[in-house]
C-alpha cells in the first residue's frame, strides 16, 4: 500500500469528471434491476452503495457480444472491404471487480498469441481498468479458491477501496501509477486509512465461504476424463443454454458470420459457446454431439486445458455461472465431486 | 506442456489485420467428382503473389462474401507457385455458394494456416501415401512437392481409393502418376462399375496387399475417419511405428488461428497446432474426440 492516495467520497464525482476529459468513463449503472457498465452520467456515484457486480463480465467491453469486423460492398470490379472507423478515445472503466479484472490477463494471452487479434487488443490498449475492491461478495463467489480474492489487483491499473468516508486509491500498473501520481484531487493516505483498508479487505475475504480445492484439479480431471458415466451424471441437468459461457468472464469462443443484402453487408463476430452442439458440427460428424462431452469440454477447458497451455486456471471465481444457471448447475459442487487422485486409480 | 511455438511460421495478414481476407480470383474450375470441384485461383495483388509461400498440408480460410468463411487445404504444391488450388466438396452453405461461382469470380483468402507436413523429416525416407476420397487433396500437394524434388526421397508408394470410380479425384494426376515409373501406385474403389477394370477393395486391405516395407519409411494417411481407423492397424502390422504414421485431423473451424475455440481436442487446437500429427501425437492427446 506504499504511495497510496485517497479521495473523499463527495469528491469522487469530481475525480471522474476530471478523467472524463481524457477518457470515456464507464461506471456501474442500474436499469431494470440489472447492473451494467455504462457511460458515466457525470454525477451519479450511488453505485458505491448498491453495486456488487455487473451482469455482463468486463470482457463484454473488449470482446463485445456482437461486433462488425469489416463491411463488405460488391461492385462490378469486385469487393471492397472496409474496417470500422478507428476509435482513438481512451476508455476508463471504473468499478471493475477483482474477479473480472483478473479475467483480462487470462484473455490477453489468448488474443496476443502468435496471430494478434487487432479488435480485442486495440480496445485493451486504449483502456484503463479501475478496480473496486469487493466488500460485499455474493454467496456464489469463490474467487479465493482460484488465485483471486476480493482485494486482488491482477489486471487492474488502479484499485479503489471503500474505507468509509474516503476511498483508498492505489496505482497498480505503470499506467495506473502515473495517472494517480499527478492527480491533485487525490490526497496522501494516512497510516490509519491503510490500516482501515487492510481490515476491510480481511473482513471481505472472510465473507467468501464457498471454497474448493483446486490444487490438483488438473490431475483429478485428467483421471476421470474418459469416465463417461461420471460426465453423464455431472451433465444430466444441463439444458445447454450456454449462459454460463456467454456470461463467463474468461470464455472467449466466438463465431464469424456474414450478413449481406443487395451487395452491401458486413462480416461480424459474435460470442459462441461450447455448450451448443452446432459449435463443433461438421457436415458428416460432430465430435461433441453428446451433451456430456460438451459439459466436459467446458469444465476441462477452464481447469485442465487452459492451465496446460497458460499455467493459470481459466476461472476467476466470479460465481456468475452459479448465480445465472437456470437449473442450478454448480461448478464448485462438480469440482468437489471429482474423485481424489488415489480413489480414481483403483 | 505449454502452447506450441509457431513464431517461425510465415504470415501474410492483409493490412496487418489477421482476419481481413486477401482478394483472389478464380481462373479455372475442374469438375472432379459428383459434388467435388477444384478451383484454381490467384491473388489480385500481384506483389502478394510474388511473395506468398506456404507448406504442403497448410490450409486457408476461404470467403464467399455474404456467405462466410470455411477452411480448405491448399491442394496444389508450393513447388508450382503459378497459382493456388483447392478442392471442395459441396456439403453446406458456403461450399454451395462456392460451387455456384464461375471463372472470374472474386473470393477471399486468408492464410496459410496450420503446421503442414514435416518435409524436413520426410527427406531421405521411403514414403507411403495412403488416401481415401477427397482426402487426396492435402496429400496431392505433398506428392507433387516430393515429385518435384524426387532425388531427396527414397521409394514412393501410393494407395488411393474412393467409393466408386466416379468418386476418384484428380483423375488427370492419377493417369500421369500411373505412367510414372518413379513410384508404385495402386488405385482401388469400394465398388466398381461396368467400365472399371482396376482393383476393387477397401484402402486398408489393398494397402495390406501392397505391403510396403516399414524400413526407413513414413506413411502419410489422409481420408475419412473410418478409413484412417482401419489403416493404422494395417500399418502397425507392416511394422510401422506410431511415429512413422502421419495423418491430418479435421474439425469445424472458424478463425483458423487458435482463438475461436471449436477445433480443440483437449488442449490442442487443430487449426493452430495441427492439422498434421503423427499417430503417437494423436494417441497422446488428452481427449479421444478426434
Amino acid at each position: 500500500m506504499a504511495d497510496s492516495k485517497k479521495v473523499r467520497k463527495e469528491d469522487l464525482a469530481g475525480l471522474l469528471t476530471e478523467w472524463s476529459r481524457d477518457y470515456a468513463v464507464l461506471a456501474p449503472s442500474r436499469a431494470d434491476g440489472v447492473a451494467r457498465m455504462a457511460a458515466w452520467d457525470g454525477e451519479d456515484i450511488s453505485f458505491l452503495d448498491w453495486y456488487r457486480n455487473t451482469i455482463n463480465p468486463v470482457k463484454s467491453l473488449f470482446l463485445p457480444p456482437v461486433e462488425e469486423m469489416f463491411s463488405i460492398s460488391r461492385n462490378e470490379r469486385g469487393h471492397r472491404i472496409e474496417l470500422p472507423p478507428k476509435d482513438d478515445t481512451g476508455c476508463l472503466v471504473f468499478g471493475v471487480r477483482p474477479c473480472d479484472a483478473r479475467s483480462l490477463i487470462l484473455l490477453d494471452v489468448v488474443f496476443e498469441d502468435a496471430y494478434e487479434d487487432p479488435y480485442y487488443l486495440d480496445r485493451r490498449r486504449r483502456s484503463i481498468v479501475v478496480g473496486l475492491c469487493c466488500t460485499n461478495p455474493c454467496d456464489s463467489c469463490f474467487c479465493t479458491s482460484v488465485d483471486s480474492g476480493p482485494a486482488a489487483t491482477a489486471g487492474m491499473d488502479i484499485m479503489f477501496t471503500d474505507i468509509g468516508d474516503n476511498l483508498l486509491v492505489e496505482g497498480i500498473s505503470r499506467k495506473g501509477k502515473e495517472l494517480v501520481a499527478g492527480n491533485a484531487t487525490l490526497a496522501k493516505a494516512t497510516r490509519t486509512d491503510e490500516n482501515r483498508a487492510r481490515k476491510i479487505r480481511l473482513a471481505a475475504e472472510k465473507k467468501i465461504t464457498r471454497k474448493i480445492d483446486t490444487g490438483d484439479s488438473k490431475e483429478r480431471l485428467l483421471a476421470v476424463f474418459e469416465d463417461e458415466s461420471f460426465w453423464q451424471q455431472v451433465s444430466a441437468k444441463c439444458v445447454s443454454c450456454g449462459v454460463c459461457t456467454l456470461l463467463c468472464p474468461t470464455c472467449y469462443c466466438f463465431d464469424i458470420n456474414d450478413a449481406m443484402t443487395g451487395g452491401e453487408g458486413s462480416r461480424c463476430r459474435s460470442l459462441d459457446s461450447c455448450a451448443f452442439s452446432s459449435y463443433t458440427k461438421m457436415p458428416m460428424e460432430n465430435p461433441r454431439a453428446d451433451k456430456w462431452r460438451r459439459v466436459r469440454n467446458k469444465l476441462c477447458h477452464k481447469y485442465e486445458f487452459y492451465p496446460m497451455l497458460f499455467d493459470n486456471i481459466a476461472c476467476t471465481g466470479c460465481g456468475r455461472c452459479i448465480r445465472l444457471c437456470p437449473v442450478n448447475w454448480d461448478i464448485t459442487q462438480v469440482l468437489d465431486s471429482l474423485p481424489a487422485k488415489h480413489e480414481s486409480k483403483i | 506442456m505449454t502452447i506450441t511455438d509457431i513464431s517461425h511460421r510465415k504470415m501474410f495478414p492483409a493490412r496487418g489485420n489477421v482476419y481481413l481476407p486477401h482478394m483472389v480470383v478464380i481462373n479455372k474450375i475442374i469438375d472432379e467428382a459428383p459434388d467435388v470441384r477444384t478451383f484454381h485461383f490467384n491473388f489480385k495483388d500481384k506483389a502478394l503473389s510474388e511473395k506468398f509461400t506456404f507448406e504442403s498440408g497448410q490450409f486457408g480460410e476461404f470467403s464467399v462474401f455474404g456467405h462466410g468463411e470455411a477452411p480448405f487445404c491448399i491442394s496444389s504444391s508450393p513447388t508450382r507457385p503459378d497459382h493456388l488450388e483447392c478442392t471442395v466438396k459441396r456439403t453446406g452453405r458456403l461450399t454451395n455458394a462456392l460451387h455456384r461461382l464461375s471463372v472470374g469470380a472474386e473470393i477471399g483468402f486468408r492464410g496459410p494456416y496450420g503446421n503442414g507436413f514435416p518435409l524436413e523429416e520426410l527427406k531421405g525416407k521411403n514414403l507411403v501415401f495412403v488416401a481415401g476420397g477427397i482426402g487426396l487433396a492435402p496429400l496431392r500437394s505433398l506428392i507433387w512437392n516430393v515429385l518435384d524434388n524426387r532425388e531427396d526421397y527414397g521409394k514412393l508408394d501410393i494407395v488411393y481409393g474412393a467409393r466408386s470410380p466416379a468418386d476418384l479425384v484428380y483423375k488427370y494426376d492419377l493417369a500421369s502418376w500411373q505412367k510414372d515409373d518413379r513410384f508404385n501406385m495402386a488405385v482401388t474403389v469400394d465398388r466398381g462399375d461396368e467400365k472399371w477394370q482396376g482393383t476393387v477393395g477397401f484402402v486398408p486391405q489393398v494397402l495390406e496387399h501392397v505391403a510396403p516395407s516399414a524400413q526407413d519409411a513414413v506413411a502419410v494417411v489422409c481420408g475419412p475417419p473410418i478409413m484412417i481407423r482401419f489403416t493404422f492397424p494395417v500399418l502397425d502390422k507392416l511394422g510401422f511405428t506410431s511415429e512413422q504414421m502421419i495423418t491430418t485431423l479435421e474439425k469445424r473451424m472458424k478463425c483458423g488461428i487458435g482463438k475461436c475455440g471449436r477445433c480443440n481436442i483437449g488442449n490442442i487446437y487443430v487449426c493452430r497446432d495441427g492439422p498434421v500429427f503423427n499417430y503417437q501425437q494423436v494417441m497422446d492427446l488428452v481427449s479421444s474426440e478426434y
Side-chain angles (χ1 to χ4, degrees), chain A residues 69-70 77-79 81 83 110 113-119 225 252-256 258 260 267 269 272 278-283 285 288 293 296-297 301 304-305 308-310, chain B residues 1-3 6 11 15 17-21 23 44 63-69 91 106 113 225 250-252 254-255 257 259-262 264 266-267 269 272 286-289:
Chain A
M69 304 178 92
F70 52 83
R77 288 196 309 280
H79 296 87
I81 55 180
L83 289 166
V110 173
D113 165 57
Y115 304 86
E116 294 200 338
D117 187 293
Y119 303 95
F225 196 83
Y252 54 84
C253 289
F254 58 84
D255 198 1
I256 300 175
D258 286 8
M260 214 165 158
R267 178 158 297 167
R269 85 161 151 196
D272 203 347
S278 59
Y279 176 72
T280 47
K281 191 178 176 300
M282 290 182 285
E285 50 188 317
R288 291 200 284 268
R293 291 181 184 275
R296 178 177 73 173
N297 184 72
H301 179 255
E304 184 182 345
F305 309 152
M308 287 168 95
L309 299 175
F310 301 112
Chain B
M1 162 121 195
T2 48
I3 197 156
I6 59 166
M11 302 176 190
R15 292 184 244 169
N17 180 324
V18 73
Y19 296 106
L20 288 196
M23 297 301 166
K44 259 185 136 174
S63 294
V64 181
F65 295 105
H67 296 273
E69 263 186 327
T91 56
E106 182 181 88
Y113 297 137
E250 212 158 301
K251 285 278 168 283
R252 184 177 175 89
K254 284 279 179 163
C255 73
I257 52 175
K259 303 209 194 300
C260 80
R262 73 204 66 237
N264 80 305
N267 61 319
Y269 292 94
R272 182 195 184 284
V286 173
S287 164
S288 55
E289 284 168 357

Side-chain angles (χ1 to χ4, degrees), chain B residues 270-289:
Chain B
V270 173
C271 72
R272 182 195 184 284
D273 307 314
V276 178
F277 297 92
N278 71 40
Y279 189 47
Q280 189 57 48
Q281 292 169 319
V282 172
M283 286 191 301
D284 288 345
L285 292 174
V286 173
S287 164
S288 55
E289 284 168 357

Side-chain angles (χ1 to χ4, degrees), chain A residues 286-314:
Chain A
N286 187 347
R288 291 200 284 268
D290 301 324
K291 186 176 69 178
W292 66 268
R293 291 181 184 275
R294 301 199 292 276
V295 170
R296 178 177 73 173
N297 184 72
K298 185 205 106 134
L299 184 64
C300 288
H301 179 255
K302 302 202 170 304
Y303 281 85
E304 184 182 345
F305 309 152
Y306 183 99
M308 287 168 95
L309 299 175
F310 301 112
D311 295 332
N312 286 311
I313 289 172

Side-chain angles (χ1 to χ4, degrees), chain A residues 155-319:
Chain A
M156 292 180 189
D157 293 303
I158 301 171
M159 180 157 86
F160 279 58
T161 307
D162 188 338
I163 51 169
D165 296 337
N166 288 282
L167 294 151
L168 191 81
V169 184
E170 293 159 278
I172 307 296
S173 70
R174 206 180 50 145
K175 212 157 57 164
K177 280 184 179 136
E178 281 169 12
L179 211 58
V180 168
N183 193 294
T185 312
L186 300 175
K188 198 168 160 31
T190 63
R191 181 72 60 82
T192 319
D193 297 326
E194 290 176 350
N195 282 338
R196 186 168 295 162
R198 211 168 276 136
K199 265 188 208 145
I200 286 169
R201 289 170 188 180
L202 275 175
E205 239 158 71
K206 283 213 182 94
K207 285 186 197 166
I208 309 249
T209 51
R210 192 183 280 263
K211 290 204 160 49
I212 46 168
D213 179 9
T214 56
D216 60 352
S217 51
K218 196 163 87 177
E219 290 73 21
R220 288 195 291 158
L221 280 168
L222 200 59
V224 293
F225 196 83
E226 297 295 347
D227 184 350
E228 183 181 336
S229 66
F230 173 81
W231 294 107
Q232 288 275 14
Q233 201 189 332
V234 159
S235 63
K237 68 180 177 183
C238 171
V239 292
S240 300
C241 72
V243 73
C244 60
T245 54
L246 298 170
L247 293 179
C248 169
T250 69
C251 275
Y252 54 84
C253 289
F254 58 84
D255 198 1
I256 300 175
N257 284 295
D258 286 8
M260 214 165 158
T261 43
E264 298 288 329
S266 51
R267 178 158 297 167
C268 294
R269 85 161 151 196
S270 49
L271 290 185
D272 203 347
S273 169
C274 65
F276 306 150
S277 79
S278 59
Y279 176 72
T280 47
K281 191 178 176 300
M282 290 182 285
M284 305 300 283
E285 50 188 317
N286 187 347
R288 291 200 284 268
D290 301 324
K291 186 176 69 178
W292 66 268
R293 291 181 184 275
R294 301 199 292 276
V295 170
R296 178 177 73 173
N297 184 72
K298 185 205 106 134
L299 184 64
C300 288
H301 179 255
K302 302 202 170 304
Y303 281 85
E304 184 182 345
F305 309 152
Y306 183 99
M308 287 168 95
L309 299 175
F310 301 112
D311 295 332
N312 286 311
I313 289 172
C315 170
T316 65
C318 74

